[in-house]
Amino acid sequence: MPSPTIPDEDCIADFVMRQKTRRKYPGACSLMYQSLINILVESLFQWDIEKQKSKGVGIFGTTVAFAPADEEQGRKTLHQHIQLWVKEFDSKFRNSLFDPDIDVRTRARAQLQDYVDKVMSASYGTQLLVPGPNNSDVEAEKLLEDASSQVLRDARHEELNKDIGGCVLKKKGANVKAATTDLANYTLKSLKNQAIQSTSGIYDKHFVTNMPPMPERLDIAAYTHSYHMLGGSNELYDDVWGNEDLRQLALNLRYNVHEHTHRKSCFKKGTECRFLFPFPSCSSTYIHEDRGPKGENDVLWHSLFHNPRRIAPWMVIPKRPVGCQYINVHNDTLTNVLNCNTNVQIGDPFHTYYTTLYNLKSTQEEDSERVRRVSQTIIRRLLRIQDEERNGLLDESYSDSDFVEGLCRMLGGMNAATSRHTLSSTMAHLLISQKGTRFKFSHNFSDLLIGQLEAQLEGEPVDFRLRVNRHKKKRHVWRDSLADDYLHRPEENGIENMCSYEMCMKYKKKYLSFKQMNVLETNNNDLDDDDGDDVDDCNDDEYDDTEDTYYFNNGTSISNGIRHPFKNSHPGYKFSHLIELEHEAIPKISLPEGKLCSVEDLRLGINIDNEEDQVYKSREDYAKMALLMFYPFRTLSDLTLDNSYWKKFEYELSLHNTNQTTTFWPKGFDILQNMQDRRTMEKELKRARDPVSLETNCKKTSTKKGESNPDSDSANIPDVSEIAAVYE
């Protein structure tokens, strides 16, 4: 890769050519993108991909897990949305943010403020300047302030933003308006003049241009930022282009500014910018709560550990200096290292839904746009030829009408059949490298079928898989189910005292080879042959040996090879065993519908003995599901106390709440509470409205959504043949 150079006219031309070349080789782009993501995960998140665990504190804290999802859409380049879980934000800390004790709550929110200020930025990265008295530069916040909240609200509007023109600032004590971009451009000019007048005077006049620079030069300054600045591979010692404040401002001006004119995508949800730009300035980070005029937005938050609390929808408002109303909240480290736009958000419970949506989200409309345009143009041209023939406008020698009609119908059918299976070339290359998915996760997954466990314990019919094995010239047919794997689990190495959830996290079933079957019989169930010579001897045509081993993106196996034979009562103990996973998997729980109710329906603290009462039934079902997941058992009687599931669960919960040792897996209580919190967020919690929305009104206009969407109106697609005819 050639060394970056200081921006000049030749470099601009070279940059344009490189962009054209980049479009021709989407495969190289997707591989480069994948490499950048690995750098992000390994170096910045401090996450060991191979070992699937944290290596230490990263730029956002100690990473516990992350879920990235790739997208392209109309931007024509790949970008990624990442949901990140960090150790510092455990359930205890989250609960303390809304603790009834004002001292506990204040300390927790102070810690949150300190954390947000370290990892999130809503500024240009340098102090903005404005011309002051005596031709001196003055800090913007000393002379300027926000315009009224209604002006900010109008600047978000699809039509009214044109009247505002980005002028969301005004001079203190006067009605003189100012635009945020003017402040940034003036600061660039001022920093350039300061650099030229510096004592060292080291700069190349050939490369010093007027400020603000033209867009192409700004692009290159942003693209080469990490190479030119301190520690870069081509560090500059130029007083102008090597000035840290100037380059930081240029970087954020290029990547992290939301245009005051907005984009079409800003108004997908309505007539106002769905990203809420511009924001008012803010002197310090705080938690904003939207309770409503009479507290009608408050949600009763139920818990297994304490009395219900009333919590309002909330959002984190980060520190935002004057003049940064259109600055996207970003992470400085990510922006400086990767030279790209970053967007960091915290505290919104809907982030999880947004990220995981990409596993199912369809972007066919954007991905198939080019194919659709070409096919529609050809079809319309063929239809026109057909119409001309019917109207006698074609030459008599033209006799291909049947061919035209047939081709038209064939192309129409092909277009209809393939319109839902089109991908851009860049995304296609990425999907191949990621085994066909846009959604990934830092850990592997396993299945936990609680419904199957319950049905088998109660003697009801269950779904299972029949496997056929041949051993010593005999044909053996046996029932293969996850329920049997737990109920007939080994008794050694603490597995006996594991709940189904924990065993699902740490162990997986693997099928024996012929050699291992012989070892099992001759060595009295000792399967410690570590020669690795495992051959699949299962003759079931549906058997897939790839199911025996988990793999991450780099193909690393996560099985450590430690084998544990099932009890002799297991239907397939001669043909399978448990292996301990090198890295823990995340169980995907399958529960019978309606049996794990809301904690609210349990009416905690109230004594109910009537078996006909609905609360009594809800308690029994809830306790049964919880015990099946997080309490070790082999029979149903292991899960009851005085013939009641609820009494067993209530007893274990009381021990946990008083910090005593429980047979119930302690982490299971936290998982149950997480399930309850997710239910509350999904069913009850509303999204908080920002302060500007609460203080102002949206001015209605006559705009009708959907009337001017050229991408969805095929009539607006020009016919290529008409354009070509001009040059004939």
Side-chain angles (χ1 to χ4, degrees), residues 293-492:
K294 299 181 180 180
E296 64 273 11
N297 293 338
D298 287 0
V299 173
L300 199 59
W301 210 272
H302 294 272
S303 173
L304 291 169
F305 314 125
H306 52 71
N307 294 329
R309 298 174 181 174
R310 301 200 70 85
I311 298 178
W314 59 284
M315 64 169 59
V316 174
I317 305 294
K319 179 180 178 181
R320 186 179 294 272
V322 172
C324 300
Q325 280 77 357
Y326 285 97
I327 283 289
N328 168 63
V329 180
H330 60 279
N331 178 270
D332 284 329
T333 302
L334 286 178
T335 302
N336 292 337
V337 172
L338 301 181
N339 299 341
C340 66
N341 163 258
T342 62
N343 185 5
V344 182
Q345 299 182 42
I346 188 175
D348 194 331
F350 295 90
H351 291 159
T352 301
Y353 294 99
Y354 185 80
T355 305
T356 54
L357 175 68
Y358 282 95
N359 199 30
L360 302 172
K361 182 179 178 181
S362 173
T363 58
Q364 294 298 321
E365 183 176 352
E366 294 86 0
D367 295 337
S368 61
E369 179 183 351
R370 293 182 180 179
V371 175
R372 177 172 55 83
R373 285 177 179 269
V374 172
S375 62
Q376 287 182 344
T377 299
I378 296 174
I379 292 171
R380 282 202 303 271
R381 179 56 178 162
L382 294 174
L383 288 173
R384 184 177 304 165
I385 294 174
Q386 191 176 42
D387 291 339
E388 289 176 354
E389 182 187 19
R390 290 173 179 172
N391 296 329
L393 300 178
L394 288 180
D395 188 88
E396 294 182 357
S397 60
Y398 189 85
S399 59
D400 291 336
S401 59
D402 293 339
F403 171 77
V404 170
E405 181 180 358
L407 183 59
C408 179
R409 292 183 179 181
M410 184 192 72
L411 288 175
M414 289 178 60
N415 184 38
T418 61
S419 62
R420 307 300 296 177
H421 300 280
T422 305
L423 282 176
S424 67
S425 54
T426 311
M427 178 61 77
H429 281 82
L430 181 69
L431 291 181
I432 291 173
S433 66
Q434 294 181 174
K435 301 182 179 179
T437 179
R438 292 194 296 168
F439 179 78
K440 299 174 292 183
F441 197 70
S442 54
H443 294 74
N444 300 283
F445 294 94
S446 57
D447 294 312
L448 179 57
L449 307 181
I450 298 301
Q452 187 185 72
L453 268 172
E454 180 190 25
Q456 184 154 333
L457 286 171
E458 294 183 346
E460 297 180 358
V462 297
D463 293 331
F464 55 86
R465 188 174 186 178
L466 284 178
R467 293 201 179 274
V468 180
N469 287 90
R470 288 183 173 83
H471 182 53
K472 294 188 175 181
K473 300 182 179 180
K474 292 183 179 180
R475 187 171 180 268
H476 300 268
V477 180
W478 58 281
R479 183 182 68 184
D480 186 6
S481 74
L482 295 177
D484 283 327
D485 297 343
Y486 181 73
L487 296 177
H488 305 283
R489 64 190 181 278
E491 297 179 346
E492 75 230 13

